[in-house]
Amino acid sequence: MISLHGLTKEFPGGVRAVDGLDLAIADGEFFALLGPSGCGKTTLLRTIAGLEAPTSGRVVIGDADVTALPPGRRDVAMVFQDYALFPHMDVTANIAYPLRVKKVPRAEREAKAAETAARLSLSELLARRPAQLSGGQQQRVALARAIACHPAVFLFDEPLSNLDARMRLEARTFLKRLQRELAVTTVFVTHDQGEALAMADRIAVMSAGRIMQVGTPSEVFQRPANTFVASFIGSTPMNLLPGVAEDDGLHVAGAVLPPAPGVAGGEEIVYGLRPEYMDLADAARKDAFAGQVSVVENLGTSFLVTLEVTSPSGDHLVQAVVPEDAEPPPGARAWAVPRHPRALVYRHGALVVP
Amino acid sequence: MTGDGVTRDSVTGGGTTGDGVTRGGTAGGGRVVTVETDRVRHAVAVLGRATFLAAVAGFFALPLLWLATAPFDAHPTITASVPEFTLRNFRALLDNPYVLSSLGNSVIQAAASAALVVVLAALAAYALSRVRVPGRDALLYVLLLLSSVVTGTAAMVPIFELATRLDLIDTHLGVILTLSGGLLPAAIFILKDFMDGTPTSYEESARVFGASPLQILRHIVIPVIRPGLATIAVWAVASVWGSFLTPFILLRDPAKAPGAVILYTLYTEGGSPRLDLISTFSLLYSLPVVLMYVFVSRRYGFRFHGGIKR
Ligand SMILES: Nc1ncnc2c1ncn2[C@@H]1O[C@H](COP(=O)(O)OP(=O)(O)O)[C@@H](O)[C@H]1O
Ligand SMILES: [Mg+2]
């Protein structure tokens, strides 16, 4: 178990990379720290590892407060973004290094390294130097080195970001399976929401050193707690349209949608709906956003259609995902009909409905 | 072949292209003219470059040739010539009581200075590269500037004065400390650049695995910057080996003087140089450094920059 209490890290010069953060990560959990570049993910991970001393707050691993302990005494293993394989050591020596530090006899640690390497299909490569390995192989050596020391916690900083796109998909599955087998509490950092959704048991979405939402991938995807998470999660960005909640319904970008519980009386709201939950109609409807097709993007088995919607409250872009063969030509008039039960209503940036 | 003829023409013509080109032009059509012109230009360029390089190479090689022949010559002069072969010069040289001991002194002073410079520069460079010290770069530049003065002629009087007060006159230690002091700033500068090119994640990774600072230094930092250390060591040995002024001034006792100083004593009473002894000693004096160079270059390779060879 890892728990963080009021953790703050301020760098000289006044940058608050981590800002009063509370978080609890359960035993054996595969936990993702997700956020845009520069939001403090790496700093948070390094603070857990002990490579950065927090300005204030506490880090607890297991039952022990480790805030004042050096990295080597926290029983964690970290895989760095650049893997940090020692260039002058071969694969065996790299994997065995944590055991060498622990003064395990040479024969024993080399046997252990070979065993770990075999598990990650690295047996053929034991005598190579890191420079002679591909990116994917380097990543597996870095994982093997972390596994070989049997830590209580794994910390991975963007473990897949140095791989090419196809390798990344394979490595995702591989990493998730490995974590299941080992059942070691794992915190991994990523800026890729797809990666976090696919791999993590739970996700903390971060922005500017704070946590915006913590939840399972489905929770974070289906009920983003605020507009930041709503816009960050999802492979196609969510439609977030400003509107007003009147008694007869929600007035959003020229459409009148059924009233939502919890908002009324002329309150300003933001109406959120994923493009996947938006259908296109070719005739005018009261509950649809009327606009002109400006861009049609091919997503493979579907199309992402962008409508330019002109309404009394201003101009907006509304996106809808339509099945293949159903895409309208650019320039056509079209009506985007939201599947209203899927809609998310935000007031002051925070979720009110559902 | 026409091309050959043109080339020979331009050679005899002292390298001017004009003549060859005109003749090539009248002989063939328009396209041939340009081809011929190109060929002539190319040939002249190659020839010019070769001549220039030969001149430069000769300029540098002749003294070395002298070093190779004169020691074996019964009557060496200041020009390189085919020797009248003999080994008598070596016997004559070894009759001088200070010759062999001076090479030993050179070894002591060079090895000790190199060791001191490598150890201190490595520690200083590591610290300067990894710890944010305010004014670090300014400090390095000032040191670098001053170091050229410290071992230079300008500071010789105060250094002598200092060495006298510290009782370091006529000791190897005095020479070693003075020369090391002069070499350190440049050594720190080069090694710091080396460290800067080495990602900190290596050290951090080892730290997370529980390695102590000393282990990190031994297991990670030193192996990674080893080519840099080798470069610094060789450079320090070569500089101390060739130093004349500092040991000349700080050492009175000829039994402690290094080779560079003893070389200066190989004159007749009349003050004219004993070319037989000087050339022979020069050969003995340069061999150890050459051998060390070859050995280190084979073993470690030289590099003046950091970063990881991939
Ligand atoms: N050593 C440092 N010194 C000063 N500022 C830093 C340092 N490391 C990170 N920062 C700043 O802290 C913020 C968070 O950085 P980081 O944790 O690396 O973000 P992320 O990993 O989410 O991309 C950034 O604004 C970055 O500029
Ligand atoms: Mg980062």
Side-chain angles (χ1 to χ4, degrees):
Chain A
M1 201 191 68
I2 304 173
S3 51
L4 311 176
H5 304 278
L7 202 64
T8 298
K9 173 71 194 181
E10 190 172 325
F11 283 112
V15 181
R16 280 198 169 218
V18 176
D19 195 359
L21 197 139
D22 294 291
L23 188 62
I25 298 167
D27 273 332
E29 202 170 20
F30 200 10
F31 193 92
L33 292 174
L34 172 67
S37 186
C39 73
K41 309 178 295 288
T42 299
T43 307
L44 178 55
L45 201 71
R46 290 169 57 87
T47 313
I48 298 175
L51 291 169
E52 305 282 356
T55 313
S56 63
R58 291 186 302 127
V59 179
V60 178
I61 297 179
D63 303 320
D65 186 327
V66 298
T67 316
L69 285 187
R73 299 201 16 224
R74 295 185 175 201
D75 201 13
V76 302
M78 182 156 171
V79 172
F80 289 76
Q81 192 166 0
D82 60 2
Y83 307 138
L85 297 177
F86 306 130
H88 57 288
M89 296 185 194
D90 62 15
V91 168
T92 306
N94 262 291
I95 299 177
Y97 187 73
L99 304 173
R100 179 176 171 195
V101 171
K102 288 185 185 139
K103 304 252 178 349
V104 175
R106 177 181 284 266
E108 195 179 321
R109 67 182 192 238
E110 288 187 348
K112 178 82 191 150
E115 184 193 317
T116 315
R119 174 170 206 169
L120 303 191
S121 346
L122 291 166
S123 297
E124 312 292 302
L125 311 172
L126 284 174
R128 295 221 199 149
R129 295 275 176 98
Q132 300 163 321
L133 301 176
S134 73
Q137 291 165 340
Q138 289 184 15
Q139 185 229 22
R140 277 182 286 142
V141 174
L143 286 175
R145 186 172 63 174
I147 293 169
C149 66
H150 282 294
V153 173
F154 284 135
L155 304 172
F156 297 154
D157 192 357
E158 311 242 4
L160 308 181
S161 66
N162 284 342
L163 305 179
D164 57 52
R166 179 157 293 277
M167 283 286 310
R168 203 175 297 176
L169 284 183
E170 276 172 31
R172 244 190 212 181
T173 316
F174 169 80
L175 203 58
K176 181 154 180 165
R177 214 184 61 215
L178 188 71
Q179 200 271 341
R180 280 270 176 289
E181 282 172 26
L182 299 170
V184 174
T185 312
T186 303
V187 184
F188 84 101
V189 158
T190 178
H191 64 268
D192 180 339
Q193 52 87 30
E195 211 168 281
L197 291 174
M199 300 206 296
D201 295 328
R202 279 199 308 150
I203 299 174
V205 185
M206 290 181 64
S207 167
R210 293 166 189 268
I211 288 185
M212 307 308 286
Q213 184 174 7
V214 181
T216 63
S218 348
E219 282 167 6
V220 173
F221 186 80
Q222 286 162 8
R223 300 189 69 242
N226 44 59
T227 45
F228 174 81
V229 178
S231 60
F232 194 72
I233 301 272
S235 49
T236 49
M238 189 187 283
N239 293 300
L240 290 169
L241 304 164
V244 181
E246 301 289 3
D247 294 337
D248 65 334
L250 308 176
H251 292 243
V252 181
V256 182
L257 301 158
V263 285
E267 273 183 312
E268 294 203 353
I269 54 142
V270 170
Y271 186 84
L273 193 82
R274 295 200 181 278
E276 290 85 352
Y277 302 141
M278 191 82 84
D279 297 311
L280 281 193
D282 43 18
R285 293 169 59 149
K286 200 169 77 93
D287 62 346
F289 306 107
Q292 192 167 21
V293 176
S294 66
V295 182
V296 178
E297 291 166 54
N298 191 334
L299 301 182
T301 56
S302 57
F303 285 84
L304 178 64
V305 178
T306 305
L307 294 188
E308 273 172 23
V309 173
T310 314
S311 73
S313 62
D315 293 350
H316 305 285
L317 293 180
V318 175
Q319 291 189 308
V321 172
V322 300
E324 45 190 340
D325 304 331
E327 77 276 13
R333 277 207 71 75
W335 288 263
V337 188
R339 295 181 208 161
H340 189 66
R342 295 287 194 175
L344 303 163
V345 178
Y346 294 90
R347 180 178 51 204
H348 306 307
L351 186 67
V352 275
V353 177
Chain B
M1 274 172 66
T2 347
D4 271 349
V6 170
T7 315
R8 222 175 295 123
D9 275 351
S10 30
V11 172
T12 47
T16 49
T17 50
D19 208 23
V21 172
T22 337
R23 247 191 288 142
T26 43
R31 221 163 52 112
V32 181
V33 175
T34 51
V35 171
E36 290 277 286
T37 316
D38 281 355
R39 224 184 267 171
V40 170
R41 264 207 204 121
H42 181 71
V44 169
V46 167
L47 209 79
R49 209 170 327 139
T51 314
F52 176 71
L53 288 181
V56 172
F59 188 76
F60 285 100
L62 277 176
L64 293 179
L65 191 63
W66 180 80
L67 196 57
T69 59
F72 304 99
D73 197 333
H75 306 286
T77 57
I78 53 164
T79 56
S81 55
V82 178
E84 196 185 322
F85 187 81
T86 175
L87 288 175
R88 201 167 41 88
N89 294 346
F90 286 89
R91 195 163 322 119
L93 184 69
L94 295 183
D95 285 342
N96 184 323
Y98 297 122
V99 159
L100 274 188
S101 71
S102 79
L103 290 181
N105 292 335
S106 279
V107 168
I108 292 174
Q109 290 169 11
S113 306
L116 197 66
V117 167
V118 166
V119 170
L120 293 184
L123 294 175
Y126 184 49
L128 283 172
S129 170
R130 293 303 189 235
V131 183
R132 282 230 134 271
V133 186
R136 166 183 69 181
D137 292 341
L139 177 79
L140 267 178
Y141 282 112
V142 169
L143 278 180
L144 206 56
L145 181 74
L146 289 184
S147 71
S148 51
V149 179
V150 167
T151 38
T153 326
M156 229 48 245
V157 173
I159 285 176
F160 180 78
E161 183 70 24
L162 196 64
T164 311
R165 299 223 177 148
L166 293 176
D167 241 358
L168 289 174
I169 292 293
D170 243 355
T171 61
H172 286 313
L173 186 64
V175 176
I176 291 165
L177 288 180
T178 309
L179 291 177
S180 302
L183 297 175
L184 263 174
I188 294 173
F189 199 78
I190 293 173
L191 280 182
K192 178 185 162 290
D193 201 51
F194 234 89
M195 273 321 302
D196 288 346
T198 312
T200 51
S201 60
Y202 296 153
E203 293 144 57
E204 289 176 337
S205 184
R207 248 177 93 199
V208 177
F209 291 128
S212 67
L214 207 65
Q215 282 176 319
I216 294 175
L217 202 68
R218 278 207 342 259
H219 299 162
I220 314 294
V221 177
I222 290 178
V224 166
I225 63 167
R226 195 183 333 255
L229 297 179
T231 308
I232 296 299
V234 167
W235 167 73
V237 165
S239 317
V240 174
W241 199 268
S243 285
F244 170 75
L245 190 64
T246 305
F248 179 69
I249 288 180
L250 294 184
L251 298 173
R252 289 287 128 113
D253 181 359
K256 291 208 168 105
V261 173
I262 291 303
L263 184 61
Y264 189 63
T265 64
L266 301 177
Y267 285 79
T268 60
E269 267 93 58
S272 57
R274 295 273 314 264
L275 282 181
D276 53 343
L277 295 186
I278 288 180
S279 63
T280 313
F281 186 68
S282 299
L283 186 67
L284 287 185
Y285 170 75
S286 35
L287 276 182
V289 180
V290 172
L291 290 182
M292 171 194 67
Y293 225 82
V294 171
F295 171 75
V296 174
S297 152
R298 283 267 167 83
R299 185 87 206 276
Y300 302 104
F302 289 109
R303 280 197 291 145
F304 280 98
H305 58 88
I308 301 311
K309 228 192 278 179
R310 294 234 175 230

